[in-house]
Amino acid sequence: MKLDYTHSPTKGKSIIEKIQDALDEELSTGDNTRAEGMAHALGILRGSSESYELGKALERTELA
């Protein structure tokens, strides 16, 4: 018996990419409290720390 893959991946950005975009946006507008919360959520999903995710976001936005 052969099993077929019947579900196709959803189109568009993954949840991690969406959170990264939102985190970058919050950092650029200066809302650090929301940015820290998003970095924490991103860290949970990726298995990393909040400070690591904030550092990567600062690199992406070139605010560091």
Side-chain angles (χ1 to χ4, degrees), residues 9-51:
T10 58
K11 301 212 185 307
K13 294 182 176 184
S14 70
I15 188 70
I16 290 176
E17 292 170 326
K18 289 178 182 179
I19 294 173
Q20 280 180 340
D21 290 346
L23 173 57
D24 296 348
E25 179 69 27
E26 291 301 326
L27 282 176
S28 64
T29 61
D31 191 352
N32 291 336
T33 304
R34 286 181 55 108
E36 289 173 0
M38 289 179 193
H40 186 72
L42 195 55
I44 290 171
L45 289 173
R46 291 182 145 181
S48 60
S49 68
E50 176 185 332
S51 60

